[in-house]
Amino acid sequence: MPAAQTALVIGGGIAGPVAATALTMAGIDAAVYEARDPAGANGIGGSLALEPNGLAVLAIVGADDAVRAAAAPITRSVMSMGSKPGRDMPAPQGLPPRQLIDRGALHRILRDRAQRAGVRIHDGKKLIRIDEQPDEQRDGVTAHFADGSSASADLLVGADGVHSTVRRLIDPDAPGARYLNLLGFEGVADDAADTAELEPGTMTFAFGRRAYYLYWKRPDGRIGWGANLPSEQYLTLMQARAVAAEDWLHTLRSAYANDIPGARLAAETTGETLQAVGGLHIMPPVPHWHRGRMVLVGDAVHAPSNSTGQGASLAMESAVQLARCLRDLPDVPSAFAAYERLRRPRVEKIAARGARISHAKAPGPIAQRLMAVMVPLMVTTLNIEKTMAAEQSYAIDWNAPALQDAEALA
Ligand SMILES: Cc1cc2nc3c(=O)[nH]c(=O)nc-3n(C[C@H](O)[C@H](O)[C@H](O)COP(=O)(O)OP(=O)(O)OC[C@H]3O[C@@H](n4cnc5c(N)ncnc54)[C@H](O)[C@@H]3O)c2cc1C
C-alpha cells in the first residue's frame, strides 16, 4: 500500500506531469492543476537540452522514445573564448548524447504521457491558498484556485516552478529565487555565414567579449542561439516581452558586435524569431522541502540555473524519486523525509556548480578583462569530465525499494 491514495500536483510544466505519471505508477491517483490557459501554452518557449540522466528518468515513465523522436541529438560540445577557435569539451564516456528539444514539444509529450497513465490535467487553475484539514478519518489538504474552485486529496505536490506559491505556503520565510544579473533570449539566425562550417549535433558555448551565448545548427539548417545578457535591471518574462523585439535586437547587436559569430547571429536574427525570457534565476538552498501534507519538486525547490543544463533533468529525477518514496515508505512523513534525503545533496551540489558558471557569465569590469584566463581555469578546476560523468550517469532504479536507499543515507 502506498503512503497515500490521492495527490494534487500543482504545476503542469515539466516536473508536474512527470510526478503525476510516476505517482500513478506508484498506485496513487494524481491530478495536475496548471495555472496557464489554454492547455499546452509553453511559457518561456525556446529549446531545452536534456542530459542522459534526464533521459533515464523519461525511460522510467515511458516517454523517452517520444522525446528522442522529437529531439535532435547533440554529440559534440565546444567552448570558445572571444573570437578564438573553440576547444572540444570532454564528454563522459559510454553515455547517450544529450537531446535538444523544443520546450513546447516536451510539454505536449509529458502531458500526453500523463493523460495516458490516467492523470487528469486541469488548465486555468491557479493555486492561491491551501487548507490543511485534519479529517476525522484521515489527514488531507484542500487547494483553492483563483477561479473559486477547489480540490482535495491526501497530499499536495508543489511543481509550480521557480516562483512557487507552494514553497511560500510551506514556509512563509522560504527564500525566493535569486536573480543572476542575466537576461535570457533565444533566436534563430536565417543566414549566418560565419557558421557555414558548423556541423549539426555540435553545440558551441561562447564567452563573448561582453556577453555569453551559445549556438547550434538546427535540423532545418538555420542557426539557433541563446544569449545571456548581463543586466543589473531585473525583468520578469512579461516585462521583457513588453519591450519590442527590434529594441532587444538593437541591444543584442551592440553586446555581440565584436564577437565571431555572435555579431552575425545577432545581425541575422529577426524580431519574429527572437524570444525574450526575462531574468535568469537560481534557487538558494530551501530550508523546508515539505511540511505536513505538502512537498516540493523541481524548480520550486532546486532551480540550479540554466548554466548547468540540468534544471529539467533534475526536476524529473525528483518527481520520480518522490513517487518511489511514497510507494515504498510506510507513511507520508517518512516518505517526504526519505525523498529529501535522497535528493538534497545532489541538487545542491549541481546548483553550486551552476552558480560558479553564472558568475563567469556576468563578470565585473576587472574579471571581464581576465576572462581569457578565468574560463579555461574554471574548466580545469571544475574537473569537467569527472563532474559531468557524476551528474549525467545518475540513474534511479525504479524497481528497487526506496527504503533501502534512504536508510543507506540516514
Ligand atoms: C532560458 C532558460 C534555459 C533553460 N535551459 C535548460 C536546458 O537546456 N536544460 C534544462 O534541463 N533546463 C533548462 N532550463 C531550466 C528548466 O526550464 C527548468 O529547470 C524546468 O522548466 C523546471 O521544471 P518545473 O516543472 O519544475 O518548472 P516549470 O517548467 O517552470 O513549470 C512550473 C509550472 O507551474 C505553473 N504554475 C506556477 N504557479 C502556479 C500556481 N500558483 N498554480 C498552478 N500552476 C502554477 C507554471 O505555469 C508552469 O507551467 C532553462 C531555463 C531557462 C530560464
Side-chain angles (χ1 to χ4, degrees), residues 11 13-15 34-36 48-49 103 125 127 159-160 165 299 309 311-312:
I14 294 172
E34 163 58 44
R36 275 195 205 109
L48 203 71
R103 191 183 283 267
K125 297 284 175 191
L127 177 85
D160 51 345
T165 299
D299 271 13

Side-chain angles (χ1 to χ4, degrees), residues 297-381:
V297 291
D299 271 13
V301 67
H302 53 60
S305 109
N306 64 313
S307 303
T308 61
Q310 277 286 0
S313 296
L314 290 183
M316 296 189 293
E317 281 180 7
S318 290
V320 163
Q321 199 64 279
L322 172 66
R324 189 172 159 248
C325 290
L326 285 161
R327 179 193 66 188
D328 295 345
L329 276 288
D331 51 55
V332 169
S334 51
F336 285 177
Y339 157 68
E340 179 179 350
R341 220 161 36 238
L342 287 173
R343 296 301 297 154
R344 191 188 269 278
R346 172 167 167 80
V347 300
E348 289 188 354
K349 190 168 175 190
I350 294 174
R353 178 174 77 81
R356 288 196 291 274
I357 305 173
S358 299
H359 192 64
K361 287 180 177 177
I366 299 171
Q368 204 165 26
R369 271 182 253 130
L370 296 173
M371 280 297 278
V373 181
M374 263 175 60
V375 172
L377 200 69
M378 193 179 71
V379 172
T380 320
T381 52

Side-chain angles (χ1 to χ4, degrees), residues 8 15 37 73 99 124 126-127 158 213 217 224 230 245 248 263 266 328 380:
L8 308 176
D37 208 11
Q99 299 282 342
K126 181 174 186 196
L127 177 85
Y213 61 111
K217 188 165 245 173
W248 280 129
D328 295 345
T380 320

